Amino acid sequence: MRAVVQRVSRAEVSVDGATVGRIGKGYLLLLGVGQNDTEAKAQKLWNKIFKMRIFEDGSGKTNLSLADVDGEVLIVSQFTLYANCKRGNRPSFTDAGTPDEAERLYEHFVELASADIPNVQTGRFGAMMEVSLTNDGPFTICLDTDFL
């Protein structure tokens, strides 16, 4: 699994002009599911994200986790995180998980996050979505379970 973690002061996602998910302070997670991903990899990725200390404490040091700041989470499916651009100018997405399995693991990841965070919002899997955010920092981290 791959995730782009953006620390935000606000974020929202809309489908067909209607907002389907909105958060305040927390993380916007763009989540990609690959061909070989499993529930165990989803758990590993969520554990890393949940415990990551990238919020500033009173001294301005990044010592606080999502739970420490009562943060919220917006999770948006993003198969394009598996784009392969090695050949030619048009990306290939063959490394992305099949739609059915990717949706299952995406929903599983949402359940994991919801068990720890009171306000977890989502986009709509497979839909054309518009995402807007105010990046806090900016602070953006890319994670891949193959390298955790």
Side-chain angles (χ1 to χ4, degrees), residues 4-139:
V4 174
V5 181
Q6 295 180 292
R7 188 179 74 184
V8 298
S9 55
R10 66 149 216 70
E12 71 178 58
V13 60
S14 60
V15 176
D16 296 326
T19 299
V20 296
R22 176 184 292 140
I23 63 165
K25 182 177 186 171
Y27 293 156
L28 167 62
L29 303 178
L30 304 177
L31 182 69
V33 177
Q35 286 286 337
N36 299 316
D37 286 334
T38 63
E39 289 181 4
K41 286 185 176 184
Q43 182 72 61
K44 184 176 188 177
L45 182 60
W46 172 247
N47 287 345
K48 177 61 77 174
I49 291 169
F50 181 60
K51 294 175 184 173
M52 210 164 35
R53 298 181 312 168
I54 64 171
F55 289 96
E56 294 176 356
D57 63 16
S59 301
K61 296 187 186 246
T62 52
N63 277 328
L64 303 177
S65 70
L66 194 58
D68 294 329
V69 299
D70 294 322
E72 302 173 332
V73 176
L74 174 58
I75 305 170
V76 176
S77 63
Q78 190 76 42
F79 77 93
T80 60
L81 293 178
Y82 278 89
N84 182 330
C85 300
K86 287 182 182 176
R87 299 174 70 181
N89 296 316
R90 188 167 141 207
S92 167
F93 300 103
T94 58
D95 293 338
T98 62
D100 289 345
E101 183 64 2
E103 184 173 14
R104 185 185 75 77
L105 288 172
Y106 168 80
E107 295 296 339
H108 178 69
F109 187 88
V110 169
E111 289 173 12
L112 293 171
S114 297
D116 291 324
I117 301 297
N119 186 23
V120 174
Q121 301 284 307
T122 65
R124 189 171 299 145
F125 188 91
M128 180 62 136
M129 295 176 277
E130 292 182 356
V131 179
S132 63
L133 68 135
T134 302
N135 201 308
D136 181 20
F139 208 118

